[in-house]
Amino acid sequence: QVRLVESGGGLVQPGGSLRLSCVVSGNIFSNNIMGWYRRAPGKQREFVAITHTGGTTDYADSVKGRFTISRDNAKNTMYLQMNSLKPEDTAVYYCHYAASSDSAWGQGTQVTVSS
């Protein structure tokens, strides 16, 4: 069973930056896909970014050019560098892991962008 723990959320002013981390532990498949999703107040959870083991990445249009997803396979850790943050980026951010028939979600970390 895989467990994910996010950290790095907080309160930041518009235009600021934050870096989220997601540590994965447990029975990890070497070939996997990890990603970040978010849920804003009153909205459904939405896709933010994903990264494959080999390094391929993809982003939601709303964050392209501002967010960067990365991973350190040796540390079983995934990151989301968020720059030029906007109030509409305010949400609970969740990391996700998927491999073969296994998948898991983290508990979420709150990001609030406000002056």
Side-chain angles (χ1 to χ4, degrees), residues 50-113:
I50 58 169
T51 175
H52 297 248
T53 307
T56 303
T57 60
D58 193 17
Y59 297 89
D61 288 342
S62 59
V63 306
K64 280 182 180 177
R66 300 188 298 123
F67 290 10
T68 302
I69 190 171
S70 63
R71 61 194 293 166
D72 185 335
N73 291 326
K75 296 182 178 180
N76 292 327
T77 302
M78 176 179 64
Y79 305 96
L80 185 68
Q81 177 66 43
M82 304 184 294
N83 299 327
S84 302
L85 282 161
K86 305 175 181 179
E88 51 264 43
D89 294 318
T90 294
V92 177
Y93 283 70
Y94 299 89
C95 64
H96 181 255
Y97 162 94
S100 184
S101 61
D102 191 21
S103 67
W105 290 94
Q107 82 287 351
T109 185
Q110 176 71 47
V111 172
T112 302
V113 185

Side-chain angles (χ1 to χ4, degrees), residues 1 7 10 18 32 34 38 48 54 66 72 87 94 99 106 110 115:
Q1 193 170 8
S7 62
L18 281 175
N32 60 65
M34 294 187 65
R38 65 187 182 187
V48 176
R66 300 188 298 123
D72 185 335
Y94 299 89
Q110 176 71 47
S115 54

Side-chain angles (χ1 to χ4, degrees), residues 35-51:
W36 290 97
Y37 295 75
R38 65 187 182 187
R39 177 178 285 150
K43 296 185 177 182
Q44 291 186 334
R45 186 157 52 190
E46 65 175 6
F47 163 76
V48 176
I50 58 169
T51 175

